[in-house]
Amino acid sequence: MAANEVYQYSLISALVDGVASNGIPISQVLCHGDHGLGTFQNMVGEMIVLDGEVYQMKADGSVVHVDPQTTITPFATVAKFRPTTTTKANLKDGKKDLQALLDKLHPESRNHFLAVRLDGTFKKIEFRTAGGQCRPREGMVDVCSRQTTHTFEGERGTVVGFRCPEYVMGINVAGDHLHFISEDRERGGHILGFETEGEVGVGVAVMSRFHLDLPRGDEEFDGARLVKDEEGIKAVEG
Amino acid sequence: MAANEVYQYSLISALVDGVASNGIPISQVLCHGDHGLGTFQNMVGEMIVLDGEVYQMKADGSVVHVDPQTTITPFATVAKFRPTTTTKANLKDGKKDLQALLDKLHPESRNHFLAVRLDGTFKKIEFRTAGGQCRPREGMVDVCSRQTTHTFEGERGTVVGFRCPEYVMGINVAGDHLHFISEDRERGGHILGFETEGEVGVGVAVMSRFHLDLPRGDEEFDGARLVKDEEGIKAVEG
């Protein structure tokens, strides 16, 4: 796969349906990208892939630097991210300002995918971490109803994210989906809200190729109903 | 791309939205598959890709053997089809019997893609061909409202098709989507109904990798709303 193409393993609707017992080694995912998001077996924590390194951000607030050879993922989205647009921006109203900035930088990209990265200091950042399934097949919305949220101030770090077009809702998350990790790699999770402290570095790439890899020989996936719970996905992943 | 992976250019919802002025040379599509379906610039006719050869089946009943270097497509789905299951079947109640046969052969494949091919004699086969847009951006449902239908009896030929999982509705056509071409390559189109004459050869492959290639630098695509018209797609493509 070339730079700035999306690789995805499994479906967000599979997580909604609680399909998270199995997966592929993260090392296989890293063949396709060095920048990304995802989760881990049984939805234990949030995954961030940053410069090819993989971190598991757990509900207890700890962050584990993951060995991609020995750890599997039931869902991940990655790209070999090479920003084609770079700028600096003050995003006081975090997600909303970022959304407006991306719309302005790439007005033609509504029907394409975007990869985005922010580097800098965050005056305030709130993120959540999913604690994992209580039982096999427990759905993502229920798992996230027990999420732990953390708020930090004056935190330096990096936001890794994607914007997906509306038509992939159910396959992935339509709209902007952002994870954060602190510079010291000790805190992070799925972003609920943020405010930058002054300007942060912004890197963006438009992506027009999407590669979907479905679980093979996975009875849990094969048997899943995969009903598109648009409201549920928006509630916990938007 | 390896055998039995799906390659798709653009989206069915783009056709629904009338995005058919531009495209890529069919030769580029053939790099990814030798078996497939699609349409042509301005939705003039139905495309079938059979053993790497491309045919344009027009509304006047004629079939043109297409030069893939000089012809573009605004939408196509192909695979390097290498059947992993082969059998013979008498499909008296055409599409319904084929659906039941595929369910029986691959009960685990509901959330995956299938490629299918039938070879034999068709006691009766009814197909349609879209005549093309009357104006740029005319939507697929309107184009197909003027479709020409043809019914033939005792026709030898080949059915090329795909089954897509429910969750790709709008990106592609959920369910079974079949095109036909006669053995003499002189008649064919999008299948509305059929009945086999005795047994026909059936080849099937389950596919778990899906590669989506979006139009780049295409203002028509970039500006399209791409509203998912599920009923419209089912009505004209199901």
Side-chain angles (χ1 to χ4, degrees):
Chain A
M1 260 176 55
N4 298 332
E5 301 191 359
V6 191
Y7 168 85
Q8 180 180 318
Y9 178 73
S10 195
L11 307 167
I12 197 81
S13 60
L15 291 185
V16 170
D17 223 347
V19 176
S21 299
N22 308 301
I24 55 172
I26 295 172
S27 53
Q28 282 185 33
V29 172
L30 295 182
C31 295
H32 306 286
D34 52 15
H35 167 106
L37 310 176
T39 189
F40 295 89
Q41 196 169 27
N42 306 124
M43 296 188 232
V44 176
E46 310 287 334
M47 178 198 291
I48 195 165
V49 182
L50 179 59
D51 297 328
E53 299 297 318
V54 184
Y55 301 91
Q56 181 176 20
M57 305 180 287
K58 294 188 170 180
D60 64 5
S62 66
V63 173
V64 179
H65 191 173
V66 165
D67 178 353
Q69 305 290 340
T70 57
T71 313
I72 67 169
T73 175
F75 176 83
T77 308
V78 297
K80 284 178 189 161
F81 180 50
R82 303 293 177 268
T84 51
T85 307
T86 55
T87 184
K88 287 187 178 296
N90 192 338
L91 305 169
K92 283 188 178 167
D93 193 356
K95 289 171 86 172
K96 201 172 158 192
D97 281 357
L98 177 61
Q99 195 176 349
L101 177 68
L102 295 177
D103 288 348
K104 192 180 151 200
L105 290 173
H106 291 289
E108 77 300 344
S109 72
R110 179 173 61 170
N111 298 326
H112 298 259
F113 296 76
L114 294 179
V116 61
R117 173 173 171 159
L118 308 178
D119 288 283
T121 304
F122 296 81
K123 190 171 175 183
K124 195 174 173 186
I125 187 151
E126 187 186 7
F127 49 80
R128 74 109 198 277
T129 41
Q133 292 171 306
C134 285
R135 52 176 175 78
R137 294 303 303 276
E138 187 185 24
M140 186 177 73
V141 175
D142 288 339
V143 171
C144 289
S145 71
R146 297 188 305 274
Q147 70 190 16
T148 309
T149 64
H150 305 269
T151 304
F152 288 91
E153 294 183 2
E155 191 72 44
R156 282 192 60 80
T158 300
V159 172
V160 163
F162 292 108
R163 167 177 288 189
C164 294
E166 278 297 323
Y167 57 80
V168 299
M169 191 56 163
I171 291 177
N172 203 309
V173 182
D176 299 343
H177 185 187
L178 311 168
H179 285 191
F180 171 80
I181 191 162
S182 62
E183 193 176 47
D184 61 10
R185 311 294 183 244
E186 296 203 343
R187 289 167 295 289
H190 170 97
I191 294 179
L192 300 173
F194 69 91
E195 179 184 345
T196 64
E197 193 167 289
E199 289 189 329
V200 293
V202 180
V204 186
V206 179
M207 304 183 291
S208 301
R209 286 196 170 124
F210 175 74
H211 306 273
L212 177 64
D213 198 358
L214 301 170
R216 272 159 282 182
D218 180 343
E219 286 180 18
E220 208 174 66
F221 179 82
D222 291 345
R225 287 182 58 236
L226 300 181
V227 173
K228 186 167 76 173
D229 177 6
E230 200 158 326
E231 291 309 310
I233 295 170
K234 276 185 185 156
V236 301
E237 293 290 346
Chain B
M1 261 175 56
N4 298 332
E5 300 190 0
V6 190
Y7 168 86
Q8 180 181 318
Y9 178 75
S10 194
L11 307 167
I12 198 83
S13 60
L15 291 184
V16 170
D17 223 346
V19 177
S21 299
N22 308 302
I24 54 171
I26 295 172
S27 53
Q28 282 186 31
V29 173
L30 295 182
C31 294
H32 305 286
D34 51 16
H35 167 107
L37 311 176
T39 189
F40 296 88
Q41 196 171 24
N42 306 125
M43 296 189 231
V44 176
E46 311 287 334
M47 179 198 289
I48 195 165
V49 182
L50 178 58
D51 297 327
E53 300 296 319
V54 184
Y55 302 91
Q56 181 177 20
M57 307 182 285
K58 294 188 170 178
D60 64 4
S62 67
V63 172
V64 178
H65 190 173
V66 164
D67 178 353
Q69 305 291 337
T70 58
T71 313
I72 68 168
T73 176
F75 176 83
T77 307
V78 298
K80 285 179 189 161
F81 179 50
R82 304 293 177 267
T84 52
T85 307
T86 54
T87 184
K88 286 186 179 295
N90 192 339
L91 306 169
K92 285 189 178 166
D93 194 355
K95 289 170 85 171
K96 200 171 158 192
D97 281 358
L98 177 61
Q99 194 175 349
L101 176 68
L102 295 177
D103 287 348
K104 192 180 151 200
L105 290 173
H106 290 288
E108 80 297 346
S109 73
R110 178 174 60 169
N111 298 327
H112 299 259
F113 295 77
L114 293 179
V116 60
R117 174 174 171 158
L118 308 178
D119 288 283
T121 304
F122 295 81
K123 191 172 176 182
K124 194 174 173 185
I125 188 151
E126 186 185 9
F127 47 81
R128 74 109 198 277
T129 41
Q133 292 171 306
C134 285
R135 52 176 176 79
R137 294 301 305 274
E138 187 185 26
M140 184 177 75
V141 175
D142 287 340
V143 171
C144 289
S145 71
R146 296 187 307 273
Q147 69 189 17
T148 310
T149 64
H150 304 270
T151 304
F152 287 93
E153 294 184 3
E155 190 72 44
R156 282 192 61 81
T158 299
V159 171
V160 163
F162 291 108
R163 166 177 289 188
C164 293
E166 278 297 324
Y167 57 81
V168 299
M169 190 58 159
I171 291 177
N172 202 309
V173 181
D176 299 343
H177 185 186
L178 311 167
H179 284 192
F180 172 80
I181 191 163
S182 62
E183 192 174 49
D184 61 11
R185 309 295 184 243
E186 296 200 343
R187 289 167 294 289
H190 170 97
I191 294 179
L192 300 174
F194 70 90
E195 180 185 344
T196 64
E197 193 167 289
E199 288 187 330
V200 294
V202 180
V204 186
V206 179
M207 303 183 293
S208 301
R209 286 196 171 124
F210 175 73
H211 306 272
L212 177 64
D213 199 356
L214 301 170
R216 272 160 283 181
D218 180 345
E219 286 180 17
E220 207 173 66
F221 178 82
D222 291 345
R225 288 184 57 236
L226 300 180
V227 173
K228 186 167 77 175
D229 177 6
E230 200 158 327
E231 292 307 310
I233 295 170
K234 275 185 185 157
V236 301
E237 293 291 346

